[in-house]
Each structure stands twice: as structure tokens, then as C-alpha cells.
């Protein structure tokens, strides 16, 4: 059993080193005549377009030669998108620099609003047909080893062996390994890295072995009041959720530009932490705020309270204080797939934004069946004809069929995440955030079937899934990138990094992305009644 | 003015393949956006534009990689590239740092280019180059994500190189079986080549053995304006103005280009005569405007009685080693392979 998930799209490995003096083997046959060498360097461009793009670069260079100092200034103000799409990128620079830019205004913490005309010309040509398989993106497993103690390495080895036993069904060996590991844990550096998180994995494995995969109360199915508290502390202790909210709000704000009636559908309201900032940004936009409706989805409150409504009231007060006309509606549902579009009461005249922060993966059921929950939900989202669909997901491959593969991936993912949490010095935020993460680990490792809801998939898979469901990417630009980076320096320690990946943004710890944010628009179908107006 | 610009651009296009021209021109364009006249650097935009790739512990073409944080204080990351061996075609995930098994395994510490300000160890172009070096030299490659200018001036890049060298030298799992020592080579392009020289100096002072230096289009300079700078200014992607900007960004404030970091054998240079300096392989591109400084570096080594081989690639421009689509590329790769292989 190979240790790594050999997903069908991977290039497959060839062992043995390549010979020195021969040129390397030709790259994978790529769709639509993409230049293979430039693709490896991170740029997608068709060979047939090279000449044209070269000419446009020359034009740019000549224009730059005439007024060089202006360019770096303009670069600071302009919003640039998707540098991998070389042809579109050069075109956007040409339209930005060779034609006079429209005036831009900057809000804090809002986005740079360049006016709709320039924004439109920035949108890269719809090239979603080019599905270049970046083979290094699948099967990524970046390891940041912070401790080199032999015991730490031994512990990892034992965890892997134990997981392998569990996969094989050898529970007696597995349980004796659990005992050994608990002993070893006492001697390992548990301050950071693998040592820290090993304990949680030992617990999760132990639960799987001794209690079976029904999982007890580890996050299966519904949410609980305590989940909200833990979520809030996770929000405070590290930047992942702030980044998610911030980036999604940026995209929503831009999508709502020019619309007077807007409606945000939030797939998981929690304490509504994302929305005060958006409300404020809308209040400050030139031309004044729109009428904002927010529909918040969340679990029914266990004790008869209407917690959704309470949050809604608080947000309404905030909106009132900044003069934004605001209406709130709560939709209580135990599972996202129980929500039906009519419950959202979307008005055809309003601009809709659908916001999903770490919710879509919960719809990936155990069996890839037709009309699986994810398909159903993506279809009705599309039918709403939203101006934007914002998606934030954990950047991990925790939904692989093989338990051992999932376990391995989770071990490295969560140890990196725990490592990043070390930067937080505030208690009890940090401790509660750790419990939040622990529950996720528990679900990934010790649950199965419908109880396992933490079915994280990497960005590459979400891209394919969303494109297949009739959405096209709406690239997040350099302004979102810059402001996300600035947010990091304000709130967090060194070591976090924001990266741009073909129009999406990821936040990670050192070089390992841990959370990915992307934005999408429904592709209008010919003759569809859902064609958008204005 | 526009007319002579046209001539330049046409000449340039004739000496490199079209995709190389597009790649390097795109860098040039992007870099122009990032350098501000006041000496500051648009770091956010730089990171946004840089095409990066993650490490990959699954072997691709016989090479796998993983990242290691070797100094928490400075967040110094290195990306380590290893070849798969016949006995273990898939690396054991728990033991990415498994001991090397061959009698002699060269370990190449690589410093990426970018004129001290651009790029990272996980930039796509450098990830590709490092992977190539693994197969070529049957080596382990350690690519150092050193701190960059202008936020981090001299000597930060050298300090990080030195930290990496000490770290590599002290890894038991990198020791060759033959003599239980780590067989270290230093390699780098552009600013990375400059770092190679200075880290080698520190190695000697501290008694760490470096078996060889590989400098690809190394970045050197000086106050004087040389003939090549005059003749080639602006002709092949690079201008004197941008070279000056990068030195101002890297060197300590108030220092000029005769500082020994920039001009190692100049008026403030340090002689390497009589010391056990590693043998050097220096690659100079014939269309690189700073070639006179690179050639002066070679001369400086020779005069000090040090072993140095010069590879002068007449029709090559900067960055020729980034894409395997030209003869210079293959010629240089062969030489590097011989240079590193000669100790086995």
C-alpha cells in the first residue's frame, strides 16, 4: 500500500535519477498548445500566443521607457489579477498603464475601488477550458520539522505504524502501540511541531480503536453551543478565520459595486464575526451604502433560544449605527443540505453573494452518489445567479479513500497548524483554539460514514468540482493579497505567509498553505432565465 | 529615443528563443513595477507576482522535496531536494531525513538569484533548477530562503548562508559513508553567486570544508563603469540603473559599490591568497552587462593562486539556465555535473 494517495491526475513517479547530459523528457502533453517550459515556471500561455504577447510586452516597455517613475507609483495603486495567465496579465498592464487609470479611493480596511469599467477590463478572458494539471499541487506534502529529537521521529513512525494496523484491522497490535506511544510521549518535546500534536492523534486513534467509528460526540452531524465558543477562540488565536472573512468580504464588496439592493447568504453564521467589517465597508463606499440583506444559516438552538435572531439583532444595531439599511433573516437547519433555496427568499432584483466558510466540504458524503448533497447545493446556488460565491476551505487532502493516507496528511497538516498556534501568546484563546482543532482531528481520524464531516479537499479539487458544476473563477487580485498580507503583520507573528495561486489566495505557515480562499461566478447558460441583468 | 529602443528590443529577441524572451521580459516588466525610485520595494506585489510551488514529498522524476525551518529566530527556511534510491523508490514519510546511503553524496547548498531582492527558495523557476541539479549531480540540494533586501541589508543574506552551511555540515544524515563527512558544494546564480563567495570565505575562517563553488552569472560590481556596462546597458534585459538600485538596496546605507560585498577583489577587498579556498566554476554570459566584474573576479582568484574554471558563454543572456531550450544550458549543466562528480 503506497503511503501517498496517487490521485489519478498525478504524473506518477519514476524512480531513478535522470541522466545528466540528455535534455529532460518532454513535459506532459498539455491541453490547447500551452508552452510546456513556461508552464513549469508558473505561467500559462499558448505557444501560438507567444508572438502576440511579446509584441504587447514591447509596447509596454516603450511606454514605460517614457515615464519610468510613474510606473512603480501606478503599481502601488492598481489592482492586478492572476499573474499566471500571462496574456491577460500583460493586457491588464497595458490597459492600466497605457490608458489613463480611473480614480481610485482607498478605505481602511476596505478594498481599492477602481470603478466598474477598469474592473471589467481586468477580468481575464474566460479561459476555464485550460485545465492544466499542476502535478506538484496534488499530493503535496510539505513538512516543516521544527524538532529533531529522535523520540519525536520515533513517535511519528509509531503513529504511522499504528494507523497502518488500524487500516489492516490488526487492533491488538494497534492498541499495544497506543500504550507504547503514551509512554514515549512523556519523553518528547511537546512544545512544538510533531510532539505537540502527537498526543491528539494518539487520542483520536485510541478512540477509533476502542469506541469504534460512530465517533461519540466528536463533531458528527450537528453543531453545539460549545462549538461556537471554540470557533470564536480559534478566530481570536490565529489569523486563519480573519483571513477567510477578510478575503471573502473583499470579493463580495467588489461584486456588489454599483448595486443598490444586495443580499448575502452566509452558510454558517456562528457569531456573525464576518459581517461588521462588510457593513462598515459598505457604509463607506462612494455613492453610499446599498440596502443590505443578510440571511444567516445555522443550527437550531438547543435550549429554545433563537440564537440566529440574537446575532441578527446585534448586526442590525451595528448597521444602524453606521447608517446602513439592513434586514436579517435566520434559517435554522441542522445540516446545510436541509436548506432549500426558497427558504432564503432571494429577490430576483437583488445582487446576491453566497458565502461559504469551511462548509462545502461537509457536503461531500461518504459515497460519490448522483445528486449527492454537494451537487444539489451547488446547483441551487447557481440557480440563485449570485454575483459572487466566496469559498474558503482547509487546504488539505483529508478525504482520501485510504485511512492511512488521510491519517498521514492530517498528521502533517495539523502539526503545521499547531506549530503556527505557538505564535499566539494569549490565553485562554490559545488553549480553546487548540481544543477546536483537536475536535477536527478527532473527526478526521476517528469517524467514518456520515459522522465524518471534516472531509477537506485541496484547492485543486475544489477548482475542478466548481468548474464542473458550472462556475468560473473570479480572481482575487493584488489588492486583496496586499491587504491580507498587511492584516497578517498587524495581527500575527512572523511565519505566516499569503500566497497567490492562479487567482486564489492561500494562507499558510511558512511555506505550507493551510487555508485557501477563492471566489466564483456562475457561468450564464445560453437562453437561461437566470441571465443576470446589469 | 523610441527608435533606438526598437533596435534594442529586436536584437534581444534574436539571441534567445521566444519563450525565454517572454519569460525574462515579463520578469523585467514586473521588477520595474516593484522598484520604487525612493529605494523602497513593493514587497506585497512582489510576493503576489512570484510564481511559487509547494514542496512535494512524492517523487517526481526521481526527486522529492520537503521544507525545513533551520532557524526559528529568523524564520530561515530551506527546501531540501533528494533523489530516490533504487532500494527505496518511495520515501518513508516519517524519515524524510533518512541517512544518505551512497559512498559519496555531494550536498549542494543553493542560493537562488534575484539581485538580493527578488525570488524565494520556493519560486517555480528555482524549484525546477534545484530538481535538475539533483539528477545531474546525484546530489542532495539544500536551497536557502535567505532574507532579502531592501528590508534586510548586508550582511543578512551572508549570515543566513552561513547558518545554512553550519546546519548542513552538522547533519549526520547528510554524511557520506566513505568518510562520515558532509561533502559540501556551494552554488548560486546572480546574487546567489555573490553569496557563494562570501559564505565560502566564512567557511574557511571557521574550518568547514567546502569542496567547490559554482557561480552562475554571479552578481558583482564596483564604482568604476566598465566597458561591458557601457556597451550592453539596456540591451539584453538589464540596465545599469537597475543594477545600481539593487546595490543601494543591499549594501549598508552610505556605502558605495567598492564595498567588499559588491567588489570582493576591489580596493576594499579581501585577498584569498594563501588560504584554502574551494575550487570554483564561474559561468559568465557574454551578453551580461556586468561581465567585466565577473571576469575580474575570475582574474582575482587566479592571481591569488586559486583553482578556477571559467565558462564564458558568448551568446548567452542572463537567465539562460532557467529554461532547457538552448545549447548554453546543456553545456553548462554538463560542466556542473563534471565539476561536482570529480570527487567521487
Amino acid at each position: 500500500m503506497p503511503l501517498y494517495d496517487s490521485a489519478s491526475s498525478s504524473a506518477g513517479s519514476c524512480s531513478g535519477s535522470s541522466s545528466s547530459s540528455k535534455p529532460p523528457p518532454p513535459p506532459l502533453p498539455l491541453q490547447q498548445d500551452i508552452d510546456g517550459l513556461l508552464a513549469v515556471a508558473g505561467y500559462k500561455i499558448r505557444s501560438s500566443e507567444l508572438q502576440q504577447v511579446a509584441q504587447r510586452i514591447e509596447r509596454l516597455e516603450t511606454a514605460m521607457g517614457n515615464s519610468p517613475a510613474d510606473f512603480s507609483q501606478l503599481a502601488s495603486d492598481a489592482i492586478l489579477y492572476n499573474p499566471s495567465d500571462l496574456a491577460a496579465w500583460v493586457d491588464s498592464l497595458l490597459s492600466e498603464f497605457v490608458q489613463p487609470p480611473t480614480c481610485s479611493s482607498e478605505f481602511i480596511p476596505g478594498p481599492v475601488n477602481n470603478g466598474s469599467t477598469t474592473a471589467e477590463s481586468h477580468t481575464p478572458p474566460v479561459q476555464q477550458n485550460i485545465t492544466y494539471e499542476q502535478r506538484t499541487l496534488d499530493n503535496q506534502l510539505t513538512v516543516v520539522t521544527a524538532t529533531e529529537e529522535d523520540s519525536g521521529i520515533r513517535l511519528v513512525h509509531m503513529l504511522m505504524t499504528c494507523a497502518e494496523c488500524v487500516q489492516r484491522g490488526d487492533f491488538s497490535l494497534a492498541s499495544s502501540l497506543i500504550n507504547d506511544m503514551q509512554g514515549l510521549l512523556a519523553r518528547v518535546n511537546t512544545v512544538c511541531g510533531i510532539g505537540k500534536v502527537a498526543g491528539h492523534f494518539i487520542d483520536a486513534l485510541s478512540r477509533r480503536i476502542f469506541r469504534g467509528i460512530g465517533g461519540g460526540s466528536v463533531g458528527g452531524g450537528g453543531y453545539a453551543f460549545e462549538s461556537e465558543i471554540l470557533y470564536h477562540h480559534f478566530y481570536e488565536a490565529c489569523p486563519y478565520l480573519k483571513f477567510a472573512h477578510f478575503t471573502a468580504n473583499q470579493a463580495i464588496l467588489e461584486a456588489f459595486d454599483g448595486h443598490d439592493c444586495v443580499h448575502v447568504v452566509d452558510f454558517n453564521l456562528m457569531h456573525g464575526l464576518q459581517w461588521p467589517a462588510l457593513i462598515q465597508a459598505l457604509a463607506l463606499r462612494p455613492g453610499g451604502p446599498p440596502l443590505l440583506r443578510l440571511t444567516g444559516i445555522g443550527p437550531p438552538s438547543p435550549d429554545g433560544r433563537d440564537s440566529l435572531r440574537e446575532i441578527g439583532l446585534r448586526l442590525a444595531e451595528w448597521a444602524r449605527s453606521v447608517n446602513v439599511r439592513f434586514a436579517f433573516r435566520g434559517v435554522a437547519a441542522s445540516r446545510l443540505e436541509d436548506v432549500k433555496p426558497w427558504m432564503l427568499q432571494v429577490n430576483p432584483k437583488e445582487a446576491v453573494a453566497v458565502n461559504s466558510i469551511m462548509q462545502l466540504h461537509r457536503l461531500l458524503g461518504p459515497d460519490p452518489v448522483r445528486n449527492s448533497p454537494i451537487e444539489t447545493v451547488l446547483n441551487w446556488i447557481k440557480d440563485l445567479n449570485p454575483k459572487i460565491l466566496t469559498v474558503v476551505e482547509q487546504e488539505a487532502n483529508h478525504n482520501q479513500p485510504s485511512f492511512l493516507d488521510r491519517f498521514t496528511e492530517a498528521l502533517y497538516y495539523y502539526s503545521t497548524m499547531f506549530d503556527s498556534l505557538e505564535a499566539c501568546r494569549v490565553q485562554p484563546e490559545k488553549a480553546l483554539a487548540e481544543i477546536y482543532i483537536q475536535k477536527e482531528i478527532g473527526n478526521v481520524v476517528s469517524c467514518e460514514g456520515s459522522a465524518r464531516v471534516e472531509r477537506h479537499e485541496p484547492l485543486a479539487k475544489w477548482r475542478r468540482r466548481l468548474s464542473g458544476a458550472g462556475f468560473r473563477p473570479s480572481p482575487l487580485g493584488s489588492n486583496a493579497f496586499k491587504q491580507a498580507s498587511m492584516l497578517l503583520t498587524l495581527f500575527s507573528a512572523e511565519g505566516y505567509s499569503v500566497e497567490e495561486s492562479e487567482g486564489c489566495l492561500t494562507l499558510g505557515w511558512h511555506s505550507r498553505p493551510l487555508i485557501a480562499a477563492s471566489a466564483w461566478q456562475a457561468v450564464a447558460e445560453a437562453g437561461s432565465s437566470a441571465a443576470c441583468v446589469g | 529615443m523610441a527608435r533606438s529602443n526598437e533596435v534594442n528590443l529586436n536584437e534581444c529577441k534574436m539571441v534567445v528563443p521566444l519563450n525565454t524572451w517572454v519569460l525574462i521580459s515579463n520578469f523585467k516588466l514586473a521588477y520595474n513595477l516593484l522598484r520604487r525610485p525612493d529605494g523602497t520595494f513593493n514587497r506585497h506585489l512582489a510576493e503576489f507576482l512570484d510564481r511559487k510551488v509547494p514542496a512535494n514529498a512524492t517523487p517526481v522524476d526521481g526527486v522529492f522535496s520537503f521544507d525545513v525551518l533551520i532557524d526559528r529566530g529568523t524564520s530561515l527556511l530551506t527546501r531540501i531536494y533528494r533523489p530516490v534510491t533504487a532500494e527505496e523508490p518511495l520515501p518513508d514519510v516519517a524519515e524524510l531525513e533518512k541517512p544518505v546511503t551512497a559512498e559519496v553524496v555531494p550536498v549542494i547548498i543553493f542560493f537562488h538569484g534575484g539581485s538580493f531582492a527578488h525570488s524565494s527558495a520556493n519560486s517555480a523557476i528555482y524549484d525546477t533548477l534545484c530538481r535538475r541539479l539533483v539528477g545531474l549531480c546525484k546530489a542532495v540540494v539544500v536551497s536557502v530562503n535567505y532574507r532579502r533586501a531592501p528590508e534586510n541589508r548586508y550582511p543578512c543574506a551572508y549570515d543566513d548562508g552561513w547558518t545554512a552551511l553550519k546546519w548542513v555540515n552538522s547533519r549526520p544524515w547528510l554524511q557520506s559513508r566513505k568518510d562520515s563527512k558532509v561533502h559540501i558544494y556551494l552554488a548560486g546564480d546572480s546574487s546567489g553567486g555573490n553569496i557563494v563567495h562570501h559564505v565560502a570565505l566564512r567557511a574557511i575562517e571557521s574550518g568547514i570544508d567546502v569542496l567547490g563553488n559554482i557561480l552562475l552569472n554571479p552578481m558583482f560590481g564596483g564604482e568604476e563603469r566598465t566597458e561591458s556596462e557601457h556597451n550592453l546597458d539596456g540591451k539584453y534585459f538589464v540596465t545599469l540603473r537597475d543594477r545600481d538600485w539593487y546595490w543601494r538596496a543591499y549594501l549598508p546605507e552610505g556605502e558605495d559599490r567598492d564595498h567588499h560585498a559588491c567588489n570582493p577583489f576591489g580596493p576594499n577587498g579581501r585577498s584569498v591568497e594563501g588560504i584554502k579556498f574551494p575550487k570554483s566554476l564561474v559561468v559568465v554570459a557574454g551578453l551580461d552587462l556586468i561581465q567585466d566584474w565577473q571576469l575580474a573576479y575570475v582574474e582575482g582568484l587566479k592571481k591569488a593562486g586559486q583553482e578556477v574554471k571559467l565558462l564564458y558563454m558568448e551568446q548567452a543572456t542572463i537567465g539562460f539556465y532557467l529554461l532547457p531550450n538552448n545549447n548554453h544550458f546543456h553545456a553548462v549543466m554538463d560542466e556542473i555535473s563534471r565539476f561536482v562528480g570529480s570527487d567521487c
Side-chain angles (χ1 to χ4, degrees):
Chain A
M1 173 65 82
L3 287 178
Y4 299 91
D5 172 31
S6 21
S8 55
S9 54
S10 91
S13 56
C14 47
S15 43
S17 32
S18 40
S19 74
S20 56
S21 52
K22 295 203 199 77
L28 290 177
L30 298 165
Q31 292 189 3
Q32 298 191 332
D33 144 71
I34 302 267
D35 184 292
L37 295 182
L38 291 181
V40 174
Y43 299 100
K44 288 199 279 198
I45 177 170
R46 296 196 200 110
S47 304
S48 46
E49 278 184 314
L50 280 173
Q51 192 60 257
Q52 239 187 339
V53 171
Q55 280 163 3
R56 287 184 226 151
I57 292 179
E58 282 174 319
R59 270 183 63 199
L60 257 172
E61 285 181 355
T62 313
M64 274 184 162
N66 295 335
S67 46
D70 294 342
F71 279 89
S72 49
Q73 181 54 44
L74 286 170
S76 296
D77 298 338
I79 306 174
L80 305 165
Y81 296 88
N82 202 353
S84 281
D85 184 346
L86 207 42
W89 156 253
V90 172
D91 282 345
S92 72
L93 285 181
L94 267 173
S95 63
E96 187 69 42
F97 296 137
V98 180
Q99 281 130 41
T102 57
C103 88
S104 62
S105 38
E106 192 147 355
F107 309 114
I108 295 157
V112 175
N113 192 335
N114 245 359
S116 53
T117 44
T118 3
E120 237 57 71
S121 67
H122 277 161
T123 311
V126 174
Q127 293 194 0
Q128 76 275 28
N129 295 323
I130 302 174
T131 51
Y132 168 54
E133 306 288 339
Q134 288 195 4
R135 56 194 178 177
T136 49
L137 275 184
D138 294 319
N139 306 328
Q140 60 174 283
L141 207 77
T142 303
V143 176
V144 180
T145 58
T147 167
E148 284 138 13
E149 290 201 25
D150 287 334
S151 301
I153 295 179
R154 270 189 70 203
L155 201 50
V156 169
H157 214 140
M158 289 172 78
L159 273 167
M160 301 300 305
T161 310
C162 187
E164 209 190 348
C165 290
V166 167
Q167 174 156 281
R168 269 196 336 250
D170 186 350
F171 293 112
S172 63
L173 180 52
S175 51
S176 85
L177 277 168
I178 297 271
N179 285 332
D180 294 342
M181 285 193 285
Q182 278 162 345
L184 193 52
L185 204 53
R187 301 207 299 276
V188 168
N189 174 7
T190 51
V191 167
C192 50
I194 294 283
K196 173 119 204 184
V197 82
H200 301 309
F201 276 85
I202 294 170
D203 286 343
L205 270 176
S206 169
R207 230 176 293 127
R208 188 183 180 104
I209 294 167
F210 299 120
R211 274 205 249 141
I213 55 183
S217 66
V218 189
Y223 320 72
F225 177 60
E226 56 170 36
S227 288
E228 290 182 14
I229 306 262
L230 293 176
Y231 184 89
H232 202 135
H233 285 91
F234 180 66
Y235 177 89
E236 294 294 344
C238 46
Y240 303 107
L241 289 178
K242 294 185 194 101
F243 165 79
H245 293 173
F246 189 82
T247 311
N249 282 347
Q250 196 88 336
I252 295 172
L253 199 55
E254 284 176 33
F256 281 169
D257 186 36
H259 294 277
D260 291 323
C261 294
V262 303
H263 184 171
V264 175
V265 176
D266 186 1
F267 275 5
N268 187 23
L269 187 67
M270 283 292 187
H271 289 168
L273 296 169
Q274 184 172 349
W275 307 118
L278 181 70
I279 293 171
Q280 171 153 14
L282 285 171
L284 295 173
R285 75 173 194 180
L291 163 61
L292 169 66
R293 285 181 58 207
L294 173 65
T295 299
I297 299 172
S301 317
D303 49 1
R305 288 166 50 234
D306 188 346
S307 53
L308 286 173
R309 188 163 169 274
E310 281 172 26
I311 312 277
L313 282 172
R314 275 192 272 155
L315 288 172
E317 255 181 63
W318 170 250
R320 188 168 32 243
S321 74
V322 293
N323 290 321
V324 175
R325 291 167 298 149
F326 178 80
F328 176 82
R329 184 184 174 78
V331 173
S334 320
R335 303 175 313 164
L336 192 51
E337 53 256 53
D338 294 337
V339 174
K340 302 284 174 275
W342 59 262
M343 297 175 187
L344 308 173
Q345 299 203 338
V346 167
N347 186 318
K349 293 212 189 69
E350 49 191 18
V352 176
V354 176
N355 182 72
S356 166
I357 308 287
M358 305 186 323
Q359 297 307 301
L360 291 187
H361 64 256
R362 306 177 85 95
L363 298 170
L364 301 172
D367 300 311
V369 292
R370 279 212 67 88
N371 295 327
S372 60
I374 182 72
E375 274 181 41
T376 311
V377 172
L378 287 179
N379 276 332
W380 66 245
I381 294 177
K382 221 169 41 132
D383 289 341
L384 292 179
N385 194 30
K387 287 284 173 288
I388 199 94
L389 162 65
T390 48
V391 175
V392 179
E393 284 287 328
Q394 290 90 332
E395 181 59 6
N397 205 356
H398 293 155
N399 198 24
Q400 299 165 76
S402 147
F403 171 73
L404 185 57
D405 292 343
R406 283 204 310 273
F407 185 86
T408 310
E409 168 87 4
L411 187 58
Y412 285 95
Y413 180 84
Y414 289 106
S415 71
T416 308
M417 184 168 272
F418 263 89
D419 207 25
S420 76
L421 211 51
E422 281 313 303
C424 171
R425 300 256 172 258
V426 191
Q427 295 289 10
E429 278 81 358
K430 180 169 162 196
L432 291 172
E434 290 186 2
I435 297 177
Y436 174 87
I437 302 172
Q438 215 179 316
K439 284 184 173 260
E440 248 181 51
I441 294 174
N443 190 267
V444 175
V445 173
S446 64
C447 294
E448 285 301 339
S450 54
R452 178 156 64 89
V453 293
E454 300 296 346
R455 293 178 178 267
H456 313 143
E457 290 192 341
L459 184 56
K461 274 198 173 150
W462 283 111
R463 278 207 186 101
R464 284 198 288 273
R465 203 183 278 284
L466 287 162
S467 301
F471 291 90
R472 67 174 154 85
S474 178
L476 299 168
S478 57
N479 58 333
F481 180 92
K482 173 177 173 180
Q483 298 198 39
S485 304
M486 279 166 39
L487 176 84
L488 281 184
T489 51
L490 275 179
F491 292 117
S492 309
E494 270 236 36
Y496 286 103
S497 58
V498 182
E499 284 184 13
E500 192 278 349
S501 165
E502 291 183 75
C504 305
L505 296 187
T506 63
L507 173 63
W509 177 249
H510 291 294
S511 59
R512 165 76 209 240
L514 293 174
I515 190 167
S518 57
W520 303 82
Q521 288 170 327
V523 175
E525 281 154 25
S528 155
S529 58
C532 64
V533 178
Chain B
M1 201 62 223
R3 233 198 107 65
S4 69
N5 245 351
E6 268 170 53
V7 172
N8 290 341
L9 297 172
N10 283 335
E11 267 177 52
C12 191
K13 261 169 140 183
M14 293 197 300
V15 296
V16 293
L18 187 55
N19 53 2
T20 301
W21 190 91
V22 167
L23 181 70
I24 303 186
S25 298
N26 185 51
F27 284 145
K28 175 178 154 189
L29 210 64
Y31 294 178
N32 284 341
L33 295 178
L34 303 172
R35 294 188 303 269
R36 297 203 194 96
D38 64 357
T40 60
F41 189 76
N42 194 337
R43 181 62 63 193
H44 295 297
L45 187 56
E47 293 307 296
F48 176 77
L49 295 178
D50 191 21
R51 305 292 82 203
K52 299 181 201 273
V53 295
N56 191 355
T58 302
V60 174
D61 292 337
V63 180
F64 66 96
S65 62
F66 55 99
D67 291 341
V68 183
L69 186 65
I70 66 175
D71 184 300
R72 275 182 173 263
T74 52
S75 288
L76 182 59
L77 267 180
T78 58
R79 177 164 290 180
I80 304 192
Y81 301 84
R82 295 187 65 168
V84 292
T85 58
E87 309 89 57
E88 296 243 9
L90 285 175
D92 183 337
V93 68
E95 291 180 335
L96 291 168
E97 298 180 7
K98 201 178 164 104
V100 294
T101 50
E103 276 299 294
V104 175
V105 178
V107 179
I108 303 176
I109 303 181
F110 181 79
F111 302 99
H112 66 81
S115 308
F116 293 106
H118 298 282
S119 296
S120 307
N122 60 349
S123 295
I125 48 173
Y126 288 113
D127 185 85
T128 303
L129 184 55
C130 288
R131 285 171 169 275
R132 206 180 289 286
L133 290 175
V134 172
L136 202 59
C137 305
K138 317 272 186 293
V140 171
V141 175
V142 178
S143 182
V144 183
N145 199 44
Y146 58 89
R147 281 169 293 168
R148 295 162 302 186
E151 302 94 316
N152 302 285
R153 293 177 175 266
Y154 164 96
C156 292
Y158 301 157
D159 288 344
D160 290 351
W162 173 232
T163 303
L165 178 58
K166 280 187 296 187
W167 186 86
V168 165
N169 194 48
S170 60
R171 295 307 101 191
W173 58 277
L174 285 175
Q175 289 169 353
S176 292
R177 282 255 201 89
K178 168 169 139 185
D179 51 8
S180 296
K181 289 167 89 168
V182 185
H183 288 217
I184 298 175
Y185 292 80
L186 301 176
D189 72 310
S190 168
S191 49
N194 177 296
I195 296 173
V196 164
H197 172 81
H198 291 281
V199 170
L201 281 180
R202 286 204 208 182
I204 294 158
E205 283 163 24
S206 317
I208 295 187
D209 270 333
V210 171
L211 295 173
N213 287 351
I214 300 167
L215 290 77
L216 283 173
N217 298 11
M219 186 171 159
F220 295 119
E223 275 303 298
E224 188 194 327
R225 297 304 195 192
T226 67
E227 209 179 306
S228 67
E229 285 170 321
H230 181 75
N231 292 339
L232 296 172
D233 186 8
K235 294 230 169 91
Y236 297 97
F237 308 112
V238 186
T239 65
L240 207 46
R241 204 162 156 193
D242 68 61
R243 293 299 96 203
D244 288 351
W245 191 98
Y246 292 115
W247 284 120
R248 273 197 306 275
Y250 178 64
L251 295 170
E253 314 236 18
E255 293 284 354
D256 68 16
R257 289 185 303 275
D258 280 335
H259 186 275
H260 75 100
C262 177
N263 196 353
F265 297 135
N268 305 312
R270 297 176 184 172
S271 168
V272 296
E273 192 158 343
I275 63 175
K276 197 169 160 252
F277 199 75
K279 63 172 183 175
S280 300
L281 176 66
V282 181
V283 177
V284 177
L287 298 175
D288 188 343
L289 77 94
I290 59 168
Q291 63 187 271
D292 286 346
W293 294 109
Q294 297 160 337
L295 295 169
Y297 174 76
V298 171
E299 279 311 299
L301 286 177
K302 282 194 181 141
K303 276 208 209 103
Q306 300 298 346
E307 188 186 335
V308 55
K309 177 163 189 181
L310 167 66
L311 284 180
Y312 186 84
M313 317 304 297
E314 274 205 36
Q315 285 291 293
T317 63
I318 54 144
F320 72 86
Y321 45 82
L322 295 177
L323 298 182
N325 57 4
N326 58 85
N327 290 329
H328 317 298
F329 175 93
H330 296 296
V332 166
M333 292 301 146
D334 281 350
E335 286 287 345
I336 291 177
S337 164
R338 269 191 282 273
F339 185 77
V340 171
S342 59
D343 297 301
C344 299

